[in-house]
Amino acid sequence: MPSRIPVRIDDKDFPSINKARLFYREILHRNQPGQTVADSDQQEMKRLITSAQRALSPDSSVSKIRVVQGKYGRHCFAFQDQDNTQHAISILRSIKQCIMGGENQPPSIKH
């Protein structure tokens, strides 16, 4: 049986990647394509985005997050940046960037 890999997204801990994935997929399935995600869910998604993409500066504004139809007809989250460029959000890729390293710290990014 594979070991569980804990994930920390902002101040929320998940016991495994799968539990975090299920949490965010539940948000995804509560909304239809084209809909803006509800305010409480917006906060959860913004936490995921900023935790996964530490390169975003604090004053970078992520506008409203929407559900869109992505590749292969699947639904996904997307946001527009300040240049009105739409960015799709991969739930699993974002979660994997939040895997907790030793002593409950995110792993360092190696270049």
Side-chain angles (χ1 to χ4, degrees), residues 72-91:
Y72 310 110
R74 290 185 165 188
H75 300 164
C76 65
F77 294 109
F79 70 92
Q80 285 186 327
D81 63 14
Q82 294 172 337
D83 299 330
N84 289 328
T85 303
Q86 184 169 290
H87 299 275
I89 303 166
S90 167
I91 294 172

Side-chain angles (χ1 to χ4, degrees), residues 31-98:
N31 299 276
Q32 296 297 315
Q35 282 186 322
T36 299
V37 175
D39 288 341
S40 59
D41 292 338
Q42 288 275 337
Q43 290 303 319
E44 292 295 340
M45 291 307 302
K46 287 179 182 180
R47 287 182 186 125
L48 176 62
I49 293 166
T50 56
S51 294
Q53 300 175 356
R54 291 171 187 27
L56 285 179
S57 62
D59 57 326
S60 291
S61 65
V62 172
S63 63
K64 294 290 183 183
I65 298 167
R66 304 174 64 84
V67 174
V68 297
Q69 188 165 356
K71 292 183 180 180
Y72 310 110
R74 290 185 165 188
H75 300 164
C76 65
F77 294 109
F79 70 92
Q80 285 186 327
D81 63 14
Q82 294 172 337
D83 299 330
N84 289 328
T85 303
Q86 184 169 290
H87 299 275
I89 303 166
S90 167
I91 294 172
L92 193 54
R93 183 179 300 155
S94 297
I95 290 169
K96 285 183 175 182
Q97 291 176 346
C98 299

